[in-house]
């Protein structure tokens, strides 16, 4: 496996310009001769499909929902970053770049991060032109608020539903191209395999989730925009349908998987209420702008929050990280919350929660201002918990949220498989070991609107692509493999449900490879996962057939992939003998309990190559070079 990053030479602020100037172009009249397959229609996929359709390419877009509007991007709440400096508070492209590199604990590729910061300013203009109703100041300028890991206000937002509004903007552009015939939309279709012809990605195999039909689609390039893999933990903030199948099946076809152990725990989630839950609910990080996080100073204090006087409260983020306070980065804030609860100072059932209190902000600004900024989030919290956050503090606790790891990509967003491009959360490139809040939407739209239209065209213009058809032997072989795998699941006819296995795997992963990891916990997980996987293949019960609508078949196939991913995730975490960002090995921490990196041994991306059935994967490395931002110990104090 060759890892050629293809980062252009020269000053960092000129690299993307240089790459665009060097890249080969496709004649406008020739674009209609190429077919691009886009899998996933969230922000990255919808923006990519719309942009490529607008340029004249023929596009086939696939999503497993009944509409592109239901992609999980719709769930993003707090905002999208851009270095516009509308607040005149010292922001700049370089500062966003620096904050992102530092926030990722110096484990991201510098050139990709700078390009992301550079393109951020264009994203806002694009979305505002589409009619996205960003919040505005009284004078009409777009409003900004702060997010964790930054000391400036650079986050654009639409109350607590920014993801929904941005997705509707991309969806409207996508629908225009569907109406013009440039994009062929395939809803309720799940990608189950990647098809290679002469070593290049030339198509996919999908299952129609309504009829169960297996069919193939051929193209000249494949774009995976399918999100992350955090549902490996079972309970996460992700929608239940979010899964890893598209990128995992591509990994098994030769695409390198980078840094699977980089998983983010979000500090601001509604605590789990019981074993019956199937997912967790996120409370936007934007709430930490006006909410103060605290716990009682005395362990075991069961008084109601209103009964605890100020002198007996510990506003621990403000105490430990005075420079950033309640807006310390997600990984730092999550570990601090866990520490408070481990000391016996947690609140709520089981002591697994901390308070997020808006009393001071409402006294200073007025309740109406808080309602205007966060009203729908407060309503959501009250409907789920039965508690009114205007009258009592919210209770929050960290939860699995975002995958910084994903398929390895070069500067052009192409994986180690020629013709397979990976966008948004599905790739590894921009966030290092910890993603700053409000940067996921930024990356998805930057990749889809502004990067891939150049790079996929450059690939096709510089590659001799022969004709392929969906009835070729390579496609028939892939369809046969998919059918056999599905039939194998149905034939087990055991006694345990898919969800019971998934819940057990998730609990194992959370306890052994969640917020904190150790050599012992990881080895214990690696010993247990194979036996649990073996029991799954002997005792899972998947009712019904594959020849019609069957959600149990869908879930079983995805869980089979999660078992394999879980092993790779734990293996990657075991091999990385350092702490960085969201990867916290308890053996490697400072005296103050912060992550302690080992730059001499691990300043690289770990890229895993599939070894084949029953064989161990191979670990490769891409060294990370920091020419602009110098390596240093992260500090938010």
């Amino acid at each position: 496996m060759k890892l050629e990053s293809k980062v252009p030479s020269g000053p960092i602020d000129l690299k993307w310009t240089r790459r665009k100037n060097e890249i080969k172009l496709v004649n406008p009249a020739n674009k209609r001769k190429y077919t691009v397959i886009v899998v996933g229609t969230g922000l990255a996929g919808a923006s990519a499909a719309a942009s490529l359709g607008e340029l004249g390419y023929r596009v086939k877009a696939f999503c497993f929902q009944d509409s592109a509007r239901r992609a999980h991007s719709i769930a993003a709440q707090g905002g999208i970053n851009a270095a516009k400096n509308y607040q005149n508070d010292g922001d700049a492209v370089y500062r966003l770049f620096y904050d992102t590199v530092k926030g990722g604990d110096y484990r991201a590729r510098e050139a990709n991060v700078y390009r992301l910061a550079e393109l951020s300013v264009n994203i806002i203009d694009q979305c505002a032109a589409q009619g996205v109703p960003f919040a505005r100041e009284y004078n009409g300028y777009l409003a900004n608020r702060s997010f964790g890991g930054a000391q400036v206000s650079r986050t654009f937002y639409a109350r607590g539903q920014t993801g929904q509004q941005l997705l509707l903007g991309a969806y409207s552009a996508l629908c225009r191209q569907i109406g013009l015939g440039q994009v062929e939309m395939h809803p309720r279709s799940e990608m189950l395999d990647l098809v290679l012809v002469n070593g290049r990605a030339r198509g996919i195999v999908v299952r129609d989730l309504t009829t169960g039909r297996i069919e193939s689609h051929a193209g000249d390039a494949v774009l995976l925009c399918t999100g992350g893999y955090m549902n490996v933990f079972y309970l996460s903030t992700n929608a239940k349908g979010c899964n890893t199948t598209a990128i995992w099946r591509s990994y098994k076809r030769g695409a390198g998987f980078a840094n699977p152990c980089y998983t983010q725990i979000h500090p601001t989630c509604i605590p789990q209420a019981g074993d019956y839950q199937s997912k967790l609910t996120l409370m936007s990080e934007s709430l930490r702008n006006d909410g103060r996080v605290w716990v009682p100073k005395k362990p075991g204090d069961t008084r109601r929050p209103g009964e605890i006087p100020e002198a007996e409260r510990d506003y621990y983020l403000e105490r430990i990280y005075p420079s950033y306070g309640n807006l310390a980065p997600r990984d730092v804030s999550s570990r601090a919350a866990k520490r408070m609860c481990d000391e016996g100072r947690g609140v709520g059932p089981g002591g697994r929660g901390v308070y997020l209190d808006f009393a001071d902000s409402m006294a200073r600004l007025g309740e109406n201002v808080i309602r205007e900024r966060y009203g729908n989030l407060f309503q959501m919290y009250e409907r789920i918990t039965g508690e009114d956050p205007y009258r009592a503090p919210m209770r929050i606790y960290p939860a699995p949220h975002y995958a910084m790891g994903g398929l390895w990509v070069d500067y052009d967003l192409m994986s180690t498989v020629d013709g397979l491009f990976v966008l948004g959360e599905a790739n590894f490139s921009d966030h290092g070991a910890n993603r700053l809040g409000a940067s996921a939407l930024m990356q998805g739209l930057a990749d889809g609107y502004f990067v891939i239209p150049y790079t996929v065209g450059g690939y096709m213009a510089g590659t001799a692509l022969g004709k392929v058809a969906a009835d070729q032997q390579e496609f028939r072989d892939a369809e046969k493999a998919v059918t056999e795998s599905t039939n194998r699941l149905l034939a087990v006819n055991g006694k345990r449900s898919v969800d019971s296995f998934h819940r057990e795997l998730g609990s194992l992963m959370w306890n052994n490879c969640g917020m904190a990891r150790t050599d012992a916990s990881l080895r214990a997980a690696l010993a247990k996962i194979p036996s649990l996987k073996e029991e799954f293949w002997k005792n899972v019960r998947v009712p019904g057939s594959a020849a019609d609508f069957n959600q149990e078949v869908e879930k079983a196939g995805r869980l089979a992939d999660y078992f394999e991913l879980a092993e790779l995730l734990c293996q990657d975490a075991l091999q990385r003998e350092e702490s960085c960002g969201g990867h916290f090995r308890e053996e490697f921490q400072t005296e103050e309990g912060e992550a302690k990196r080992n730059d001499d041994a691990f300043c690289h991306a770990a890229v895993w190559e599939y070894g084949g059935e029953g064989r161990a994967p191979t670990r490769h490395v891409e060294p990370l070079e920091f020419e602009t931002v110098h390596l240093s110990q992260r500090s938010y104090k």
Side-chain angles (χ1 to χ4, degrees):
M1 177 178 287
K2 294 182 179 179
L3 301 177
E4 299 177 1
S5 66
K6 298 180 183 176
V7 173
S9 60
I12 196 166
D13 57 338
L14 297 178
K15 289 183 185 295
W16 178 230
T17 299
R18 173 168 293 184
R19 182 63 185 135
K20 289 189 293 183
N21 290 340
E22 294 173 348
I23 212 160
K24 293 184 178 181
L25 301 177
V26 179
N27 183 301
N30 288 336
K31 288 188 173 79
R32 67 177 70 98
K33 299 177 182 178
Y34 292 102
T35 298
V36 180
I37 292 173
V38 179
V39 185
T41 53
L43 284 179
S47 59
S51 299
L52 294 173
E54 183 75 36
L55 287 172
Y57 295 104
R58 292 181 299 174
V59 179
K60 288 186 175 182
F62 298 81
C63 70
F64 61 70
Q65 301 94 347
D66 60 349
S67 167
R69 290 177 298 174
R70 295 188 186 274
H72 187 60
S73 298
I74 204 170
Q77 298 168 347
I80 177 171
N81 287 330
K84 285 283 199 180
N85 195 30
Y86 281 176
Q87 302 296 316
N88 197 29
D89 57 358
D91 200 12
V93 168
Y94 179 85
R95 193 174 294 276
L96 174 54
F97 156 69
Y98 174 81
D99 287 347
T100 305
V101 171
K102 177 183 175 182
D105 216 348
Y106 303 91
R107 289 296 179 261
R109 189 190 288 149
E110 263 197 345
N112 288 64
V113 177
Y114 192 91
R115 178 176 62 186
L116 178 64
E118 183 180 1
L119 292 174
S120 69
V121 297
N122 299 330
I123 296 170
I124 302 305
D125 296 338
Q126 170 86 3
C127 295
Q130 289 175 335
V132 173
F134 289 119
R136 293 181 180 268
E137 305 285 2
Y138 179 76
N139 58 13
Y141 289 133
L142 298 184
N144 291 129
R145 56 191 178 199
S146 300
F147 257 65
Q151 291 181 310
V152 298
S153 295
R154 64 163 67 101
T155 304
F156 296 77
Y157 63 97
R159 296 189 76 189
Q161 50 185 253
T162 313
Q164 179 181 16
Q165 298 302 328
L166 291 171
L167 184 60
L168 289 174
Y171 176 71
S172 65
L174 174 62
C175 285
R176 180 174 181 272
Q177 296 306 313
I178 295 172
L180 292 172
Q182 291 296 121
V183 176
E184 183 181 295
M185 189 69 215
H186 295 265
R188 302 295 294 156
S189 299
E190 181 171 26
M191 173 184 162
L192 296 181
D193 209 349
L194 176 72
V195 180
L196 307 185
V197 178
N198 297 325
R200 300 184 184 278
R202 297 304 302 269
I204 60 174
V205 175
V206 302
R207 178 173 182 267
D208 185 310
L209 298 183
T210 302
T211 67
R213 179 183 176 187
I214 303 295
E215 57 185 22
S216 295
H217 296 267
D220 298 295
V222 177
L223 277 54
L224 298 186
C225 313
T226 52
Y229 48 85
M230 292 304 283
N231 276 348
V232 70
F233 292 97
Y234 185 70
L235 286 178
S236 82
T237 64
N238 287 201
K240 286 298 291 178
C242 295
N243 64 87
T244 190
T245 290
I247 59 173
W248 189 253
R249 306 284 171 93
S250 299
Y251 161 72
K252 296 175 79 170
R253 290 292 185 181
F257 205 121
N259 303 330
C261 76
Y262 288 169
T263 54
Q264 181 172 82
I265 310 301
H266 197 293
T268 315
C269 180
I270 297 178
Q272 181 181 354
D275 293 336
Y276 59 85
Q277 273 187 258
S278 60
K279 77 174 297 293
L280 299 171
T281 302
L282 177 71
M283 287 283 101
S284 170
E285 183 177 308
S286 65
L287 293 168
R288 293 197 282 153
N289 271 286
D290 292 305
R292 301 179 70 192
V293 180
W294 65 275
V295 292
K297 287 184 177 179
K298 181 182 176 181
D301 192 334
T302 59
R303 289 177 292 174
R304 295 180 179 180
E307 298 172 348
I308 302 176
E310 283 289 316
E312 297 178 32
R313 299 180 180 188
D314 181 8
Y315 295 91
Y316 59 89
L317 289 178
E318 299 173 24
R319 172 175 57 84
I320 302 172
Y321 310 104
S323 295
Y324 286 76
N326 297 296
L327 289 173
R330 290 177 175 178
D331 59 324
V332 172
S333 301
S334 293
R335 286 194 294 273
K338 181 178 184 296
R339 225 161 38 236
M340 298 302 112
C341 294
D342 290 346
E343 292 174 3
R345 296 196 282 151
V347 300
R352 288 287 151 183
V354 299
Y355 288 128
L356 182 61
D357 197 334
F358 292 85
D360 285 355
S361 294
M362 285 191 285
R364 185 180 75 254
L365 302 171
E367 185 175 314
N368 287 338
V369 173
I370 299 301
R371 286 184 182 275
E372 183 179 340
R373 292 177 179 176
Y374 312 110
N376 59 312
L377 296 173
F378 278 49
Q379 291 170 5
M380 185 166 64
Y381 181 89
E382 184 173 9
R383 288 182 181 180
I384 291 172
T385 66
E387 301 170 5
D388 183 358
Y390 292 106
R391 304 291 168 257
M394 291 182 178
R395 287 180 296 107
I396 57 171
Y397 192 70
H401 177 61
Y402 187 91
M404 284 80 64
L407 294 187
W408 182 91
V409 292
D410 62 20
Y411 191 68
D412 289 347
L413 303 185
M414 189 162 72
S415 72
T416 54
V417 173
D418 285 350
L420 178 66
F421 294 81
V422 192
L423 285 65
E425 188 181 356
N427 75 33
F428 91 108
S429 66
D430 291 9
H431 305 298
N434 173 62
R435 176 176 68 78
L436 292 185
S439 288
L441 306 183
M442 176 174 61
Q443 185 203 356
L445 292 179
D447 288 354
Y449 281 138
F450 299 110
V451 179
I452 204 64
Y454 283 95
T455 59
V456 76
Y459 164 73
M460 292 187 291
T463 307
L465 294 169
K467 294 291 183 182
V468 296
D471 58 358
Q472 289 182 202
Q473 188 62 44
E474 292 89 346
F475 288 87
R476 290 201 297 268
D477 290 345
E479 288 182 13
K480 180 181 178 183
V482 165
T483 301
E484 289 176 350
S485 177
T486 303
N487 289 339
R488 182 186 172 198
L489 287 167
L490 289 163
V492 175
N493 198 28
K495 297 182 178 179
R496 286 187 60 180
S497 69
V498 175
D499 283 344
S500 72
F501 279 105
H502 195 175
R503 188 179 288 108
E504 186 173 348
L505 174 65
S507 177
L508 178 67
M509 291 298 291
W510 176 248
N511 292 327
N512 292 60
C513 193
M515 256 196 292
R517 299 126 186 226
T518 65
D519 183 280
S521 73
L522 293 168
R523 292 185 187 278
L526 286 168
K528 177 66 176 176
I529 293 169
S531 60
L532 185 60
K533 179 173 67 173
E534 183 179 1
E535 185 188 353
F536 168 80
W537 283 105
K538 288 181 178 179
N539 199 29
V540 70
R541 178 169 177 78
V542 184
S545 75
D548 54 18
F549 178 77
N550 189 339
Q551 290 187 301
E552 291 301 305
V553 167
E554 298 171 32
K555 291 192 294 184
R558 296 165 187 170
L559 181 55
D561 295 330
Y562 275 135
F563 277 119
E564 297 177 358
L565 169 65
E567 287 188 83
L568 186 67
L569 199 162
C570 291
Q571 185 65 38
D572 188 46
L574 184 65
Q575 293 288 325
R576 187 168 286 277
E577 295 182 334
E578 66 167 352
S579 290
C580 55
H583 169 64
F584 192 73
R585 287 281 298 270
E586 291 186 352
E587 306 96 319
F588 308 103
Q589 54 182 302
T590 66
E591 294 180 358
E592 298 172 325
E594 305 294 348
K596 186 177 182 180
R597 299 194 318 267
N598 182 350
D599 293 331
D600 291 338
F602 293 99
C603 190
H604 59 244
V607 187
W608 294 86
E609 179 182 7
Y610 181 61
E613 194 69 33
R615 295 196 295 271
T618 302
R619 187 180 189 269
H620 304 272
V621 301
E622 178 200 345
L624 297 174
E625 300 177 0
F626 292 90
E627 301 173 353
T628 307
V629 176
H630 299 295
L631 289 165
S632 64
Q633 177 65 39
R634 257 197 328 168
S635 175
Y636 293 95
K637 298 193 173 184

